[in-house]
């Protein structure tokens, strides 16, 4: 998994919604914002859905499928300012796992595209790392 982190107060980290699986499932508004940004950048968004820790977007880019997880942690309780994580994973079959094929690499172009979307939006402290 690769992570892109950034800080912003644009997305909610305070308003729990009735549809949340768990109280900490923030990221619905972030996923709603990211979807058209990703599509404009040539990423095909296949589905957006809630997980028990946040939100996930399944997508396809340059012939590869990816899962993009979105979750935030408030810096100050009760305020929307905080750190957001964009977690990029690449699904692999059991054969691919056993043979070491189709691993997510640091050179995958989707990482640069996502980082560019975040940077262009003006969010602060953008950083990419392996998790």
């Amino acid at each position: 998994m690769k992570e892109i982190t950034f800080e912003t107060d644009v997305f909610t980290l305070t308003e729990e919604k009735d549809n949340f699986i768990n109280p900490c499932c923030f990221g619905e508004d972030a996923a709603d914002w990211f979807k058209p940004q990703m599509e404009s950048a040539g990423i095909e968004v296949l589905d957006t859905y809630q997980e028990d820790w946040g939100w996930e977007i399944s997508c396809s880019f340059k012939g590869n499928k990816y899962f993009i997880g979105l979750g935030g942690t408030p810096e100050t309780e009760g305020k929307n300012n905080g750190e957001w994580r964009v977690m990029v994973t690449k699904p692999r079959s059991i054969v691919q796992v056993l043979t070491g094929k189709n691993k997510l690499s640091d050179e995958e172009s989707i990482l640069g595209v996502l980082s560019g979307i975040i940077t262009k939006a003006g969010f602060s402290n953008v950083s990419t790392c392996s998790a």
Side-chain angles (χ1 to χ4, degrees), residues 74-100:
E75 183 179 302
T76 307
E77 191 172 327
K79 300 212 182 245
N80 286 332
N81 60 316
E83 181 180 72
W84 284 87
R85 294 187 180 284
V86 177
M87 300 155 280
V88 182
T89 58
K90 193 176 192 182
R92 298 165 60 203
S93 70
I94 190 72
V95 172
Q96 289 172 327
V97 172
L98 293 173
T99 59

Side-chain angles (χ1 to χ4, degrees), residues 34-101:
F34 265 100
K35 181 180 177 186
Q37 306 300 319
M38 292 168 63
E39 291 171 334
S40 292
I43 300 170
E44 180 186 5
V45 175
L46 305 171
D47 198 9
T48 302
Y49 46 91
Q50 186 178 170
E51 289 287 352
D52 61 353
W53 44 263
W55 287 76
E56 191 164 76
I57 300 171
S58 66
C59 63
S60 178
F61 187 64
K62 295 190 175 180
N64 291 302
K65 188 172 179 183
Y66 299 93
F67 295 116
I68 312 298
L70 299 167
T73 305
E75 183 179 302
T76 307
E77 191 172 327
K79 300 212 182 245
N80 286 332
N81 60 316
E83 181 180 72
W84 284 87
R85 294 187 180 284
V86 177
M87 300 155 280
V88 182
T89 58
K90 193 176 192 182
R92 298 165 60 203
S93 70
I94 190 72
V95 172
Q96 289 172 327
V97 172
L98 293 173
T99 59
K101 297 192 188 246

Side-chain angles (χ1 to χ4, degrees), residues 6-11 13 80-84 122-124:
F6 63 95
E7 295 176 5
T8 187
D9 62 358
V10 172
F11 309 119
L13 291 169
N80 286 332
N81 60 316
E83 181 180 72
W84 284 87
F123 301 137
S124 59

